[in-house]
């Protein structure tokens, strides 16, 4: 009895002290050209989170001829959200001036890393310098955690497949974008602020949304 109650106290203490930070993005068809959905990520420590998403692209009107949405999407956590009037957008309103590049504090350096121009170049990690971004979900799953940008969620967990233009998934991410960098930069890392969904076919930016505390 005594042991049980001591354990109960310990369990409730550790629950109380565990991080329970949560960030949500809502994709609103009114501002995102008919796309509808959400992305939610819940942290249990500074770098461990479980995220889930659902995205209904059946009424989306913004894809180019070079994009067949049914072929799949890739998605990433991006550095900025620079549009104060809306919290989700589509196409050019998801461009680099609105959302920046991929959050990449470990300098895994895809060509779309927020650090591609400066820090990645300084360590020889650009395509011009012969570097090939090594990320794929099989290797990441096997423990090659440094091979992917922390913001490259489809690199880490696979692209979204959705023959019927409806996408959903959920993953536990043991090396998630750091809570400490949520909308804050530090000496070593850029911030993260938003999530962007790209067409797999042509890498064009289709839909994006601000990540807010929720
Ligand atoms: C913000 O994005 C919306 C589309 O979601 C667009 O209509 C609006 O012009 C953008 N605002 C700015 C300041 O660019």
């Amino acid at each position: 009895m005594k042991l049980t109650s001591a354990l109960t106290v310990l369990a409730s203490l550790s629950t109380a002290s565990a991080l329970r930070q949560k960030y949500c993005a809502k994709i609103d068809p009114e501002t995102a050209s008919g796309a509808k959905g959400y992305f939610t990520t819940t942290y249990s420590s500074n770098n461990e989170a479980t995220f889930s998403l659902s995205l209904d692209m059946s009424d989306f009107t913004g894809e180019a001829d070079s994009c067949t949405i049914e072929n799949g999407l890739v998605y990433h956590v991006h550095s900025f959200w620079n549009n104060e009037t809306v919290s989700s957008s589509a196409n050019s309103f998801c461009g680099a001036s609105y959302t920046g590049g991929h959050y990449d504090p470990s300098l895994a350096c895809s060509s779309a890393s927020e650090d591609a121009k400066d820090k990645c170049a300084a360590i020889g990690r650009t395509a011009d310098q012969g570097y090939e971004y090594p990320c794929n979900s099989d290797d990441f799953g096997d423990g090659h955690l440094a091979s992917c940008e922390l913001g490259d969620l489809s690199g880490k967990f696979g692209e979204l497949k959705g023959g019927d233009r409806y996408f959903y998934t959920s993953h536990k991410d043991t090396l998630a974008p750091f809570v400490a960098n949520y909308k804050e930069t530090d000496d070593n890392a850029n911030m993260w602020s938003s999530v962007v969904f790209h067409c797999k076919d042509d890498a064009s930016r289709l839909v994006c949304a601000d990540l807010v505390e929720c």
Side-chain angles (χ1 to χ4, degrees):
M1 184 62 194
K2 261 189 173 163
L3 180 61
T4 312
S5 54
L7 285 174
T8 308
V9 169
L10 273 178
S12 66
L13 278 177
S14 76
T15 307
S17 62
L19 190 69
R20 285 268 180 275
Q21 203 67 39
K22 192 173 171 189
Y23 304 92
C24 301
K26 185 169 174 248
I27 296 132
D28 178 351
E30 297 283 325
T31 59
S33 298
K36 186 175 193 294
Y38 72 85
F39 174 95
T40 301
T41 184
T42 305
Y43 280 79
S44 50
S45 75
N46 183 48
N47 63 275
E48 187 171 276
T50 298
F51 71 83
S52 59
L53 67 90
S54 160
L55 185 60
D56 181 352
M57 298 292 277
S58 51
D59 293 329
F60 184 69
T61 54
E63 73 268 35
D65 290 346
S66 50
C67 167
T68 301
I69 286 177
E70 287 79 356
N71 290 344
L73 305 180
V74 295
Y75 62 111
H76 317 110
V77 173
H78 279 240
S79 297
F80 311 121
W81 184 260
N82 289 332
N83 187 334
E84 286 177 7
T85 56
V86 298
S87 51
S88 63
S89 283
N91 303 120
S92 61
F93 293 113
C94 299
S97 62
Y98 288 98
T99 64
H102 303 171
Y103 171 71
D104 180 25
S106 55
L107 301 179
C109 296
S110 82
S111 58
S113 168
E114 179 60 23
D115 290 298
K117 288 196 192 73
D118 42 38
K119 289 181 189 163
C120 291
I123 59 169
R125 291 192 169 189
T126 68
D128 285 351
Q129 293 162 308
Y131 175 74
E132 268 182 61
Y133 177 53
C135 175
N136 68 69
S137 56
D138 286 343
D139 288 348
F140 188 81
D142 284 345
H144 296 271
L145 301 183
S147 60
C148 295
E149 297 162 334
L150 300 200
D152 184 358
L153 300 184
S154 48
K156 288 152 77 169
F157 303 107
E159 28 190 70
L160 300 175
K161 316 254 190 223
D164 54 0
R165 296 169 75 97
Y166 176 61
F167 303 89
Y168 59 93
T169 196
S170 179
H171 291 281
K172 182 173 181 179
D173 189 350
T174 55
L175 198 52
F178 304 136
V179 168
N181 289 142
Y182 172 70
K183 298 200 176 183
E184 301 272 356
T185 47
D186 62 27
D187 289 346
N188 302 311
N190 288 297
M191 65 175 99
W192 56 278
S193 306
S194 57
V195 61
V196 180
F197 295 87
H198 305 242
C199 188
K200 184 200 157 196
D201 286 348
D202 62 3
S204 60
R205 299 181 187 212
L206 298 178
V207 172
C208 56
D210 190 16
L211 280 160
V212 298
E213 291 184 68
C214 53

